[in-house]
Amino acid sequence: MPSTNCTLVGKQEKMQRAFIAVLTLSLGTAGAAPRYVCTYHDVIKHLNISSSDKLSAHVLPKRNWTEPVEVKMDFMLMAILSVVEKLQTVTFYFVLNLEWMNSLATWDPRDFCNISRIALPLDAYWSPPLFILEEVGDQKSSRMEYLVITHDGGFNTALPFQVTVTCGLKILRFPFDTQTCNISVASYLYPAVTDLIMRMKRTPAEMKKISQSNFLTDGEWKFTNLSIVESIEESEDMRFCIMTYMISMERRPILYVLNLILPTCALYLLDMAVLFGPISLEEKINFQIAIILGSSMMAVILNNMLPTSSNEPPIIVVFFLGTFLLMIMAALDTLFLLHHQPNVGKATTLGRKVVCAETAKADVSNQPTKYLEKERPELLKLPKSQRRGHQSWCRCAPREQDPLLPILEKVLLYGHFILSLVFFIIVIAKWRS
């Protein structure tokens, strides 16, 4: 009897130990169902998702057809990739985070070892079809083709976009301009009243802060502000939700200042230095023509950057055109002074003597005695009749100078300087306004 009792006690202890081991493996936490193994496949079988049945991926997830599905959206701008002023287009890289509820895809976590969330391909269930109104490019983004489902029917997915949108760029203050471009997200398949409503998940200030902290590029454009407008658009007796993200960005002008504005100012200062310089008028006009040619090359570079049509010309175009016209005016002033300067005649040099082209074989027979005593004293020994035909080695007598010419020259030079100063003040004031 004692041996039999010992055997029964040993068997009971083994059964208790086995039961405790099985219970430990099957129960994740208190209250879980007594299952031995839990996998994600069990949840998928429970949700009745199969590759052959795609109906759930195309039908709105709602039990009552009159109750619209509410989609909450987060916008995070990641990069401003390019801005093409000639085409009026901007390329953005951003991420949309979407959340919505699907009451047809739920389960009790206690039945599946407390599995409360699962990741599935994006096409396994319905997801909001989005359309960007301003999109003009054909870039294909490498989207994360998955979504996360929670046990209460919550869906969450993040969709990255690289989109080229059309944007009315205002280039009046180029390169010190600030632009605002819109990205309008809509879904024209589902009306807003009965099917689909889009809402903001966070405030614009929160999304702006998140975007600035995750901004990837540090190039020509600086992201400054983000505004969001929720609106309803009517089309063919139907109303649709539109979420408009207004992105403000500011251009960093340092490259254009160094490559365009400062060289143009340097050329104009050089032109002014030549105009007021002590060199001859013939040399001045040569320098001024060379400077005008250099300024025209800068204008060609600018023309290749700006749009071909604009309602109002940019200030930088007025700046280049004004400096170009001022350079031409300086050249015309020099030509005017060159035309009215005292004419000493065209002469050729032979040693240190100047022969007047007008009287290469001059008749010196009628020259005054004082003039001959100074220039040709040897001719005084000859009779007056023999002085004819002798070459006149005389200095060309300059024409009489107009007494108003120096005053006119100062008026032209200082008037040109004052006009230039006024022009630059107006341009700077326009850029700062």
Side-chain angles (χ1 to χ4, degrees):
M1 288 297 294
S3 61
T4 304
N5 292 335
C6 291
T7 302
L8 291 175
V9 172
K11 288 182 178 181
Q12 290 178 355
E13 291 179 355
K14 289 181 180 179
M15 291 177 63
Q16 290 177 358
R17 291 175 182 174
F19 177 77
I20 293 173
V22 171
L23 187 63
T24 303
L25 291 174
S26 60
L27 297 180
T29 57
R35 294 176 58 89
Y36 297 107
V37 178
C38 295
T39 64
Y40 290 118
H41 290 82
D42 298 330
V43 181
I44 294 175
K45 290 179 181 179
H46 171 75
L47 296 175
N48 195 21
I49 301 173
S50 62
S51 59
S52 60
D53 183 14
K54 293 292 183 179
L55 189 60
S56 59
H58 303 286
V59 180
L60 277 170
K62 56 180 183 177
R63 297 185 183 275
N64 187 352
W65 75 275
T66 60
E67 295 179 358
V69 176
E70 184 176 277
V71 178
K72 296 182 179 180
M73 304 178 62
D74 264 353
F75 179 88
M76 182 170 62
L77 183 64
M78 303 296 294
I80 302 173
L81 299 180
S82 66
V83 177
V84 183
E85 288 85 357
K86 296 284 288 185
L87 301 178
Q88 299 277 289
T89 58
V90 183
T91 302
F92 294 107
Y93 178 65
F94 60 91
V95 176
L96 283 179
N97 187 278
L98 308 179
E99 287 186 4
W100 68 95
M101 297 298 296
N102 185 349
S103 60
L104 304 177
T106 61
W107 70 90
D108 189 352
R110 293 176 297 178
D111 296 336
F112 303 96
C113 304
N114 281 345
I115 296 177
S116 60
R117 63 195 302 271
I118 187 173
L120 292 175
L122 189 63
D123 57 355
Y125 276 97
W126 176 90
S127 60
L130 301 179
F131 176 74
I132 299 177
L133 275 63
E134 296 86 0
E135 184 176 6
V136 294
D138 55 353
Q139 293 94 343
K140 300 298 181 181
S141 303
S142 57
R143 297 188 180 182
M144 183 176 61
E145 302 290 340
Y146 284 87
L147 51 82
V148 176
I149 308 174
T150 57
H151 68 92
D152 57 351
F155 280 62
N156 184 289
T157 184
L159 302 178
F161 291 88
Q162 179 180 331
V163 178
T164 299
V165 300
T166 179
C167 182
L169 301 176
K170 299 177 182 179
I171 56 173
L172 176 64
R173 298 180 63 247
F174 175 90
F176 306 98
D177 53 333
T178 300
Q179 306 295 341
T180 300
C181 298
N182 296 341
I183 297 178
S184 301
V185 181
S187 182
Y188 287 107
L189 295 179
Y190 305 106
V193 178
T194 58
D195 290 341
L196 183 65
I197 296 178
M198 291 188 292
R199 304 287 187 191
M200 288 187 299
K201 184 180 177 181
R202 292 185 176 90
T203 63
E206 292 175 340
M207 282 187 267
K208 172 189 173 183
K209 185 176 181 180
I210 295 174
S211 299
Q212 289 179 336
S213 61
N214 293 278
F215 206 69
L216 299 177
T217 57
D218 189 22
E220 178 182 354
W221 292 91
K222 177 184 177 182
F223 170 59
T224 57
N225 194 21
L226 176 65
S227 301
I228 304 174
V229 177
E230 296 179 358
S231 60
I232 301 293
E233 179 181 342
E234 294 188 5
S235 177
E236 298 181 357
D237 299 331
M238 301 181 70
R239 304 175 69 188
F240 301 95
C241 284
I242 298 179
M243 192 75 69
T244 303
Y245 300 95
M246 305 173 65
I247 302 171
S248 298
M249 51 189 183
E250 181 181 355
R251 192 193 303 268
R252 293 184 174 97
I254 184 64
L255 184 64
Y256 299 96
V257 171
L258 295 178
N259 290 342
L260 290 176
I261 298 178
L262 286 184
T264 303
C265 294
L267 287 175
Y268 189 72
L269 290 176
L270 181 60
D271 183 75
M272 293 292 291
V274 170
L275 182 63
F276 285 89
I279 59 178
S280 64
L281 296 178
E282 292 85 354
E283 293 176 344
K284 283 184 180 181
I285 195 66
N286 292 333
F287 277 116
Q288 287 170 342
I289 292 175
I291 293 172
I292 290 173
L293 292 177
S295 178
S296 63
M297 294 300 297
M298 304 292 292
V300 170
I301 296 174
L302 179 65
N303 182 65
N304 294 331
M305 298 171 54
L306 299 180
T308 55
S309 61
S310 179
N311 295 329
E312 190 174 1
I315 298 175
I316 193 170
V317 174
V318 178
F319 168 73
F320 270 83
L321 182 61
T323 54
F324 189 75
L325 293 178
L326 288 172
M327 292 177 185
I328 293 178
M329 288 178 59
L332 294 177
D333 292 344
T334 304
L335 286 175
F336 180 80
L337 295 176
L338 182 63
H339 179 71
H340 289 84
Q341 73 174 352
N343 191 353
V344 296
K346 296 181 180 180
T348 58
T349 304
L350 182 61
R352 289 185 175 272
K353 296 180 180 180
V354 179
V355 180
C356 294
E358 299 175 354
T359 57
K361 291 291 185 178
D363 183 9
V364 298
S365 59
N366 297 323
Q367 295 292 340
T369 303
K370 293 182 178 180
Y371 177 78
L372 293 178
E373 289 178 353
K374 183 178 180 181
E375 300 293 337
R376 302 295 299 276
E378 68 274 10
L379 294 180
L380 292 176
K381 300 178 182 180
L382 298 176
K384 187 175 181 180
S385 60
Q386 296 181 5
R387 298 175 188 173
R388 187 182 301 275
H390 284 271
Q391 191 174 13
S392 177
W393 298 92
C394 62
R395 295 186 181 91
C396 297
R399 295 179 182 178
E400 293 183 0
Q401 184 177 358
D402 188 355
L404 296 178
L405 189 60
I407 300 176
L408 180 61
E409 180 178 2
K410 291 183 179 180
V411 169
L412 289 176
L413 295 181
Y414 288 103
H416 185 82
F417 175 77
I418 294 174
L419 181 63
S420 303
L421 188 61
V422 171
F423 170 74
F424 279 98
I425 291 175
I426 293 175
V427 169
I428 294 173
K430 285 285 186 179
W431 258 325
R432 292 178 61 89
S433 63

